Amino acid sequence: VALAALGFAWSACAQSSRDSLAREIGNSGAKAGKSFIDLSIGKSAYGTSCGNVAGLTCSRGTTSYSLTGGNMITENLGIELSAMNLGKADRAGGSVIARGINLSAVGRLPLGERFALEGKIGPTYGVTRVSAPPVAGLASGRAQGLGLGYGVALDVNVARGVHGSIGWEQHDFHFVGQGRSAVRNVTLALGYTF
């Protein structure tokens, strides 16, 4: 879906005859050369195994936070850098934590005067920590590595320079004893374009 959104944005960028209303996106949306910063909160879901020991707690979901800054190179294509804390989830009597930095290409497809569909894709460098009691039979420790991150979002211009969005994203992380596993994240963001 993210690749499709980037493809649509690339096509939209090539059309030089777009009307001025769509270009302005409500006078407060993304324009060529404009920078933006977003703060988001969300609900992440870990794909890691919980083991099979009865009585040990396991919750795959937790609260996530991220800070993102970027620049629109054109009105439809940009680049962004995100620092993410995907929270701490219970795992078989212990916990699992994932944090990372993501660098993504961003595609933006205007949907009228105030809305836009955004897609992003790029590498995520992640650091994870897993802890579990010995009875769980699960490996514990710290891991790090590079994976793929991608996502989509619906962006809405709230006021001049201020925008909000609801989005979904997935990032691949390396976990001790698990190998590579996905962490999915649903986000609500508030941002400012300058």
Side-chain angles (χ1 to χ4, degrees):
V1 174
L3 287 173
L6 283 169
F8 285 132
W10 183 264
S11 297
C13 181
Q15 296 176 1
S16 61
S17 62
R18 294 193 66 88
D19 62 78
S20 61
L21 185 61
R23 288 181 183 277
E24 291 296 325
I25 314 173
N27 290 324
S28 62
K31 297 180 188 174
K34 290 284 187 177
S35 296
F36 58 89
I37 186 166
D38 294 345
L39 180 62
S40 70
I41 185 169
K43 183 75 169 178
S44 61
Y46 286 82
T48 52
S49 168
C50 285
N52 296 314
V53 180
L56 295 181
T57 60
C58 186
S59 67
R60 296 182 186 274
T62 186
T63 303
S64 65
Y65 305 92
S66 66
L67 179 64
T68 301
N71 184 269
M72 296 304 293
I73 300 166
T74 72
E75 293 176 11
N76 303 102
L77 295 171
I79 191 166
E80 68 177 32
L81 181 67
S82 299
M84 305 171 295
N85 181 340
L86 296 171
K88 179 179 181 179
D90 293 335
R91 180 180 184 257
S95 64
V96 58
I97 298 171
R99 296 183 177 99
I101 296 175
N102 173 261
L103 178 65
S104 284
V106 179
R108 182 180 175 90
L109 178 66
L111 301 174
E113 184 179 346
R114 289 195 167 273
F115 296 92
L117 179 65
E118 295 182 349
K120 68 176 185 177
I121 187 167
T124 298
Y125 178 78
V127 177
T128 63
R129 191 172 75 238
V130 174
S131 65
V135 295
L138 298 171
S140 295
R142 181 181 161 116
Q144 57 189 2
L146 202 61
L148 181 66
Y150 53 90
V152 292
L154 179 64
D155 191 67
V156 58
N157 294 314
V158 178
R160 187 170 182 83
V162 179
H163 61 268
S165 68
I166 181 169
W168 174 91
E169 59 189 29
Q170 176 174 305
H171 299 276
D172 292 329
F173 287 90
H174 295 271
F175 294 90
V176 169
Q178 179 91 22
R180 185 174 293 175
S181 184
V183 181
R184 295 174 182 86
N185 196 24
V186 176
T187 62
L188 285 173
L190 185 64
Y192 183 71
T193 301
F194 54 95

